[in-house]
Amino acid sequence: MSATFFGHPRGLATLFLTEMWERFTFYGMRAVLILFLVASVSTGGLGLDDKTATAIYGLYTAGTYLAGLPGGWVADRLIGAQRAVMLGGTLITTGNFLLAISASPKGFYIGLLVIVLGVGLLKPNVSAIVAGLYPEGGARLDSAFTIFYIGINIGGALGPIVIPLAQKFFGLRAGFGAGAVFMLLGVLQFYFTRKYLGEAGVRAAPIHALGSDTTLVPRSKEWTRFWIGTASLALVVLMSSAGWIPMDALRLGQAAAYVIAGMAILYFAYYFIFADLTTEERKRGVVLVVLFIGCALFFSGFEQAGSSLTLFAERYTDRMMGWLHFEIPTGWFQSLNSIFIILFAPFFAWVWIALARRKLNPSAPAKFAVGVMLMGSGFLVMAAAAAIVAHGSKVLPYWLLMTYLLHTFGELCLSPVGLSYYTKLAPKRFVGQMMGMWFLALSLGNLVAGLIAGEFDANNVAAMPGQFMHIVYFSVGLGAILLVLSRPVKKLMGNVE
Ligand code: PHE
């Protein structure tokens, strides 16, 4: 294959652009979602109260990560990653289109569900194809993922600028319509350039008969499972839209948090008791549990970006650029994370290398602890801003800017090491499942973030500084405990670097 994309095979450009447009749509839509949910019916919104809206927001974002589990399974077992990406992109387009045109709240929620399923099919599998382009792995693959990650963040930076603008000029729903169009662009791009991917992700993995390396079994059993799952989901949707299953977003969100936490506990119990682990693997399993908790904790703060922090930007931040007579759309704040990632990721990479040269490279658990504490300190800034608001004035945008900067620094400490240690610390035969657990932790964090965001009361701004401080105490405290534990925990990792 001739190298034509920053010294990489042309196929990487196909995947880069697909993921860029997907993130563009995803983060662009997310930047306006909470505001649409709480906007009054007379202005074209859904007119929900904050508690319900933040719960729906949490369920939606948690869903997109959870859906990665069946999404990966469908690609591996049934249709291959390429077709999963096509199908996922088509569903995301359809879902956003439904958000734009649905006349009833019901149609809107179905649109959200369709997007969730689409992201679950597209996101994990497009990354899997990146890996598939470099069967030899190593430094070339790392470099490919670095480029791919830039694509993610170009999309993540531009989407939340363009979609809120579309909304500002063409109406509340137009933003969703624009999202649909951009995702469609991504899908068509993928379809017409997928030939550059070669064999990567074309087919599902062969399924071997038990105990045999050569005898293949047909996929009929997997297809049956697939259709049972799909039919059950369709049934739940039908019954709830007919009003037979009462849907209360807040209670659903709370129940889902317990279910996900319960799934994690059961899985780890199974892992330690029945998985036939060696002593070494058992010790590393403890590290996986600690990192799971750290991840869920971090994202339960970080992922309030699009809920409580967006509501703060909308209601209490002076977004008027006086000299331009232009009010910054609230959604624009959501592009800061990606912009900061692009600006500071190289700096962080340099810091880790410089520290490693001096043999000071912090261990993965230590980086997690620092990440959680940075997240907490971001909320300290919010507490200060909220104290000004409690005195009755709006604040300047710099407070939120600072919070998002600290949160991004936290992400840069925690997120890149997280997934890589999840694959390194698990025995080979469990790598796939452990990646699923990482996504489960992310999902749990997102859900809890929605529930915490629901605790803020727009009619009681006086309580706001204290509520932000609660998050600070909790996360800085637990971060400190993690830091103290990081030495013994690192010992448990053995020789894994
Ligand atoms: N923003 C990146 C993405 O969407 C990475 C990320 C994922 C960061 C999940 C936080 C949570 O892929």
Side-chain angles (χ1 to χ4, degrees):
M1 223 181 286
S2 61
T4 55
F5 188 65
F6 298 106
H8 282 267
R10 170 64 179 77
L12 185 61
T14 297
L15 303 169
F16 177 99
L17 291 172
T18 308
E19 181 62 346
M20 186 190 86
W21 288 123
E22 188 270 333
R23 291 287 98 180
F24 180 103
T25 306
F26 180 76
Y27 282 118
M29 175 278 202
R30 246 181 61 156
V32 297
L33 178 58
I34 197 81
L35 300 176
F36 183 82
L37 294 174
V38 299
S40 65
V41 178
S42 60
T43 60
L46 292 191
L48 301 173
D49 61 80
D50 283 11
K51 246 189 162 57
T52 310
T54 49
I56 289 174
Y57 181 91
L59 279 163
Y60 165 72
T61 54
T64 55
Y65 292 105
L66 207 56
L69 304 181
W73 181 86
V74 165
D76 287 348
R77 289 285 167 138
L78 297 176
I79 60 177
Q82 287 197 17
R83 262 173 290 208
V85 167
M86 282 293 305
L87 181 61
T90 310
L91 287 175
I92 295 171
T93 306
T94 313
N96 277 283
F97 190 63
L98 277 175
L99 303 187
I101 61 153
S102 61
S104 70
K106 242 180 244 168
F108 191 87
Y109 299 140
I110 292 178
L112 288 179
L113 178 66
V114 173
I115 297 178
V116 163
L117 298 176
V119 173
L121 277 167
L122 190 147
K123 176 111 162 98
N125 295 318
V126 74
S127 309
I129 306 177
V130 175
L133 286 180
Y134 304 85
E136 74 287 355
R140 296 258 304 152
L141 177 60
D142 289 350
S143 150
F145 266 120
T146 306
I147 295 174
F148 184 73
Y149 203 63
I150 295 171
I152 287 181
N153 284 298
I154 292 177
L158 293 181
I161 292 178
V162 174
I163 304 260
L165 272 184
Q167 209 182 37
K168 197 176 167 105
F169 292 117
F170 303 110
L172 267 195
R173 297 229 181 205
F176 304 128
V181 171
F182 287 113
M183 186 68 252
L184 185 62
L185 223 83
V187 176
L188 291 175
Q189 181 277 137
F190 182 83
Y191 182 76
F192 287 114
T193 63
R194 82 201 132 108
K195 56 176 183 281
Y196 297 115
L197 301 173
E199 285 298 294
V202 171
R203 265 173 290 277
I207 305 175
H208 295 283
L210 213 62
S212 161
D213 291 337
T214 46
T215 323
L216 295 182
V217 290
R219 297 179 198 286
S220 48
K221 256 202 197 129
E222 327 290 309
W223 276 113
T224 312
R225 284 184 197 144
F226 171 79
W227 286 118
I228 291 176
T230 310
S232 322
L233 185 66
L235 194 69
V236 173
V237 172
L238 272 177
M239 295 205 332
S240 53
S241 48
W244 294 343
I245 312 178
M247 281 287 171
D248 173 339
L250 187 57
R251 278 166 57 197
L252 192 64
Q254 288 163 341
Y258 284 113
V259 170
I260 294 178
M263 275 161 66
I265 292 170
L266 280 180
Y267 179 81
F268 278 118
Y270 152 82
Y271 184 72
F272 283 112
I273 301 172
F274 298 109
D276 262 332
L277 301 177
T278 64
T279 317
E280 196 72 353
E281 289 168 347
R282 207 173 285 276
K283 285 186 190 162
R284 289 178 191 162
V286 177
V287 184
L288 290 170
V289 173
V290 173
L291 297 188
F292 183 98
I293 296 170
C295 172
L297 188 70
F298 176 80
F299 283 104
S300 68
F302 179 89
E303 290 290 2
Q304 288 181 51
S307 50
S308 62
L309 297 184
T310 294
L311 290 173
F312 189 93
E314 168 86 358
R315 291 168 184 165
Y316 312 122
T317 304
D318 179 9
R319 291 172 286 108
M320 205 60 207
M321 303 192 12
W323 69 99
L324 282 177
H325 300 288
F326 177 75
E327 184 172 49
I328 301 169
T330 302
W332 278 19
F333 285 91
Q334 294 312 298
S335 85
L336 288 172
N337 172 246
S338 283
I339 293 174
F340 288 147
I341 290 272
I342 295 172
L343 290 179
F344 291 104
F347 171 71
F348 269 72
W350 173 80
V351 169
W352 302 141
I353 294 170
L355 286 173
R357 224 180 269 136
R358 294 171 179 73
K359 299 245 173 298
L360 289 172
N361 200 17
S363 65
K367 284 182 184 167
F368 261 61
V370 173
V372 170
M373 290 202 277
L374 281 167
M375 181 274 282
S377 57
F379 280 103
L380 185 62
V381 174
M382 287 317 295
I388 299 175
V389 171
H391 278 95
S393 46
K394 284 193 167 185
V395 294
L396 289 171
Y398 305 110
W399 298 93
L400 275 168
L401 207 83
M402 193 62 204
T403 295
Y404 286 129
L405 184 67
L406 289 165
H407 282 188
T408 306
F409 284 173
E411 177 186 345
L412 283 167
C413 289
L414 180 142
S415 200
V417 284
L419 192 54
S420 94
Y421 276 84
Y422 249 67
T423 55
K424 285 188 224 169
L425 290 167
K428 274 237 156 25
R429 58 191 192 282
F430 282 100
V431 167
Q433 292 175 25
M434 276 303 168
M435 274 172 79
M437 290 307 282
W438 175 256
F439 282 104
L440 205 67
L442 258 165
S443 183
L444 183 60
N446 273 274
L447 202 47
V448 175
L451 297 174
I452 297 176
E455 292 300 314
F456 291 94
D457 180 0
N459 298 317
N460 188 3
V461 283
M464 210 166 32
Q467 285 170 306
F468 279 126
M469 280 315 287
H470 264 140
I471 305 178
V472 177
Y473 297 139
F474 192 74
S475 45
V476 173
L478 278 175
I481 295 176
L482 268 177
L483 195 60
V484 173
L485 286 178
S486 68
R487 265 174 190 278
V489 169
K490 181 177 187 263
K491 290 219 174 73
L492 293 174
M493 300 203 304
N495 54 5
V496 172
E497 283 295 323

